[in-house]
Amino acid sequence: YKDLINFFQNRFLFFKVFVSSIPVMIIGYLLVNLGMMEKIRNLEVIAWTTFLFGFLLFISDKFKIEKSIEKDFTLKKAIFIGILQILSLVPGVSRSGIAITAARFLKYDRVNAARISFLLSIPTLLAVTVFGIYNIYITDSFDIIKFNFSSIVLSFIFSYITMAVFLNYIKKASLDIFVYYR
């Protein structure tokens, strides 16, 4: 919650995070509206991207730690990570995983890389939520409305819990368990 409070108080950090989220939102919107998402969704793509990005996470986690968000998170680095987030639109590529991998390649420690990933998720997930709420609005079924609204609320709660647990975990351990999982 401290990062969220700082995020909204620090307008320049908010600006960098917002700008870095624009590429994935635009490309995601285009892929959905052009019907391209279904064309890249197959087991072969998922298998290869899962393996490839697990390997990249492994390599990135070996980089020297030199940077922190407070001192070194520039607009250029935010845009670089934001552009790489476009890859998360490919099935088998995790948005948080690619953001953490990119931040580790930029020599941020694990905790700062995860914090960057979580901050970058805010505008993207907000856009997806707005899109979901719009779909709820145009739906005639009250059961679907209840289900979708419940999903949004529960997703927020469990995402917050996951972030807290994850940040505590990576303070003490490497990302190797996620590499093995992938």
Side-chain angles (χ1 to χ4, degrees):
Y1 74 93
K2 291 176 187 173
D3 281 333
L4 289 177
I5 291 169
N6 290 339
F7 178 68
F8 290 110
Q9 289 176 345
N10 185 341
R11 288 184 181 97
F12 193 58
L13 177 61
F14 178 81
F15 174 74
K16 289 184 276 192
V17 167
F18 177 75
V19 168
S20 71
S21 299
I22 292 172
V24 73
M25 288 190 276
I26 291 171
I27 301 299
Y29 179 79
L30 290 173
L31 288 175
V32 168
N33 283 322
L34 295 174
M36 300 297 290
M37 290 303 292
E38 296 307 316
K39 293 180 181 179
I40 59 174
R41 192 167 296 191
N42 63 63
L43 290 177
E44 189 175 347
V45 168
I46 293 169
W48 279 108
T49 55
T50 298
F51 173 76
L52 175 65
F53 287 98
F55 181 71
L56 289 175
L57 179 62
F58 175 77
I59 292 171
S60 72
D61 200 37
K62 305 307 176 207
F63 275 55
K64 245 189 312 183
I65 301 165
E66 297 177 351
K67 300 190 171 125
S68 70
I69 294 174
E70 292 77 18
K71 297 177 194 168
D72 305 301
F73 191 59
T74 64
L75 184 59
K76 184 178 176 180
K77 289 175 184 164
I79 291 171
F80 173 75
I81 296 171
I83 289 171
L84 288 181
Q85 281 190 110
I86 293 171
L87 296 171
S88 70
L89 298 170
V90 177
V93 181
S94 160
R95 190 218 51 82
S96 62
I98 194 67
I100 289 170
T101 300
R104 291 292 292 136
F105 274 122
L106 292 172
K107 299 182 180 179
Y108 288 92
D109 65 43
R110 291 179 191 107
V111 172
N112 276 294
R115 288 174 56 209
I116 289 168
S117 172
F118 293 146
L119 290 172
L120 293 181
S121 73
I122 293 170
T124 305
L125 295 178
L126 185 61
V128 169
T129 300
V130 168
F131 184 71
I133 289 172
Y134 173 74
N135 286 335
I136 291 171
Y137 173 74
I138 62 174
T139 300
D140 293 332
S141 171
F142 185 69
D143 289 335
I144 292 175
I145 292 171
K146 286 191 314 189
F147 178 74
N148 283 326
F149 185 73
S150 299
S151 298
I152 291 169
V153 171
L154 290 173
S155 292
F156 174 80
I157 292 168
F158 286 107
S159 294
Y160 187 83
I161 292 168
T162 301
M163 285 185 257
V165 170
F166 181 70
L167 286 172
N168 281 329
Y169 172 79
I170 62 171
K171 286 177 184 174
K172 305 169 201 152
S174 74
L175 297 171
D176 287 349
I177 192 169
F178 301 101
V179 171
Y180 300 134
Y181 168 76
R182 290 189 66 80

